[in-house]
Amino acid sequence: MLLLIPGPVQTRPELRAVMGQDIAPWDNDFRPVYAGIRDRVRDLAGGSAETHATLPLQGCGHFMVEAAVRTYTAPGARILIPMNGAYATRMQRLVRECGRVPVPLPVPDNRPVTGEEVAAALAADLEIGHVAMVYSETGSGIINDPAEIGAAVRNAGRRMILDAVSAFGALPLDLGAQPEIDVMVFTSGKCFEGMPGIGFAVARIDRTVAAAGNAGSWSFDLSDVYAHALRNSWGSFRFTPAVQALNAFATALDLHAAEGGQKARLARYQENAKLLYDGALSLGLTPYLERKHQGPIIVTIHQPADRAFALQAFVDALKSRGVLISNFYNTEAPTLRIGAIGAVTANDIKFAVEAIGATLDSMGISRREAA
Ligand SMILES: *Cc1c(COP(=O)(O)O)cnc(C)c1O
């Protein structure tokens, strides 16, 4: 089966093979593997040992966003969120349920937020301490630019939390050049093409130390993860992690480096996304985004107007041809969402576009423009 979803993604056989071992997280053979992962992740994010630390938790991206909000802001804090997609909406709920105050900045879900918009919102509300932004909006496929928005945040003397869950590993990020970013979060199962199960934060050490006492949760307190590392070594996890997935992540990092790192991975995903975008047009379908706003992570396509179209039936029929896409959508209008990420290449995408065309034909979908 070819998995074309924005996480968990298609993985390589070498990576899956690493999962076939029983290991203990505290074993002296494994501790250096974990400590090495933390160093490599920090370096890839542009951090240094003096300024930044990798602070993992077991679990998924939502858990990491919650941990970042709880750790780096105090209860009652006002947090500006550019609202241009489903993951921003999720962030708003997480912020509210953590007892912080989300301040939504409305932006349509088919374009990035601009630095001017963020600067104006910050100037209008001096109580806002943090901007929490989604880098790659996995709802629609747009990309918000952390360098542009970070400059606006820095100029306003505020701080930033970055949800880079579907971005980091493929899209560029240099925390060393962006001191306004307290913390960036991502997971093992997206652009690094690892197994799902581990969440990562890369955070400023000074802000992490200063944040002690904010979280109101032992489980989600990243300052406690840091304190634990100082007490028990960088190879020690506080609570039992998905250790096989963590071990496989070391292989995911090896494969990432062997491919040529972030730039090479981005180039492959860009080609995948372009083939999907062009393929949709060639089949008579309408992409959700204008080409200039189309990011390299996920391509969303308007569901066809034809009355014979039904999403679950289409997904099932496409799966019978060997391609699995999401059976839900996260955009304002009904869409098909197709991942461009994972261990997939141009040939896989060409195969998928043909399968989509054959599926539409077999379902008798002739009116393919937007519903
Ligand atoms: C996938 C994703 C998440 C987290 O999703 P989980 O299902 O909790 O792992 C958060 N933000 C973005 C932008 C994502 O793409």
Side-chain angles (χ1 to χ4, degrees), residues 6 60-63 65 87 134 136-138 163 165-166 187 190:
C60 62
H62 286 82
F63 287 17
V65 175
Y87 284 90
V134 176
S136 161
E137 181 42 83
T138 327
D163 170 353
V165 176
S166 67
T187 59
K190 291 197 176 174

Side-chain angles (χ1 to χ4, degrees), residues 115-116 135 174 197 230 233 266 272 334 348 361:
E116 295 86 76
Y135 188 167
D174 182 1
L230 295 187
S233 94
L266 177 59
N272 290 348
D348 296 315
D361 289 344

Side-chain angles (χ1 to χ4, degrees), residues 56-330:
L57 288 180
Q58 34 286 97
C60 62
H62 286 82
F63 287 17
M64 296 314 298
V65 175
E66 172 159 355
V69 168
R70 284 188 174 278
T71 304
Y72 296 93
T73 71
R78 294 173 70 75
I79 303 175
L80 184 73
I81 307 174
M83 298 297 300
N84 54 355
Y87 284 90
T89 305
R90 286 152 180 251
M91 197 179 240
Q92 184 182 27
R93 176 169 175 180
L94 286 169
V95 164
R96 192 185 309 117
E97 300 212 5
C98 291
R100 279 67 171 165
V101 182
V103 182
L105 169 57
V107 185
D109 83 342
N110 58 3
R111 68 154 173 91
V113 67
T114 67
E116 295 86 76
E117 288 170 320
V118 170
L122 292 177
D125 187 340
L126 299 177
E127 308 266 279
I128 293 169
H130 279 80
V131 176
M133 187 177 82
V134 176
Y135 188 167
S136 161
E137 181 42 83
T138 327
S140 63
I142 56 161
I143 307 296
N144 291 312
D145 180 3
E148 177 185 343
I149 304 310
V153 174
R154 203 156 63 234
N155 290 338
R158 316 298 171 84
R159 313 290 315 162
M160 191 157 169
I161 292 171
L162 187 64
D163 170 353
V165 176
S166 67
F168 187 56
L171 291 165
L173 184 65
D174 182 1
L175 294 180
Q178 294 204 252
E180 72 283 0
I181 299 180
D182 282 353
V183 59
M184 169 281 278
V185 300
F186 72 101
T187 59
S188 50
K190 291 197 176 174
C191 297
F192 280 101
E193 304 180 357
M195 288 290 159
I198 308 293
F200 293 90
V202 183
R204 289 192 63 90
I205 291 171
D206 54 357
R207 303 292 299 178
T208 303
V209 171
N214 278 342
S217 160
W218 186 20
S219 298
F220 285 131
D221 186 357
L222 295 173
S223 72
D224 189 65
V225 175
Y226 179 70
H228 177 92
L230 295 187
R231 274 197 312 273
N232 299 278
S233 94
W234 294 95
S236 170
F237 231 98
R238 291 184 308 168
F239 315 131
T240 308
V243 64
Q244 288 82 1
L246 183 58
N247 192 30
F249 194 72
T251 301
L253 290 174
D254 293 343
L255 293 169
H256 185 263
E259 183 174 357
Q262 173 261 319
K263 289 201 172 75
R265 189 145 298 183
L266 177 59
R268 176 161 58 84
Y269 290 174
Q270 278 169 332
E271 187 183 11
N272 290 348
K274 182 173 188 304
L275 287 167
L276 283 171
Y277 196 98
D278 292 343
L281 290 173
S282 75
L283 293 173
L285 297 164
T286 312
Y288 186 71
L289 298 176
E290 284 178 63
R291 197 184 281 275
K292 67 177 179 197
H293 292 321
Q294 176 61 60
I297 306 300
I298 173 172
V299 176
T300 48
I301 301 165
H302 282 283
Q303 289 183 21
D306 203 298
R307 296 182 54 178
F309 185 84
L311 182 59
Q312 186 67 57
F314 175 77
V315 169
D316 289 343
L318 182 60
K319 189 171 73 173
S320 73
R321 293 176 190 270
V323 180
L324 185 60
I325 66 167
S326 299
N327 65 352
F328 59 91
Y329 61 90
N330 274 327

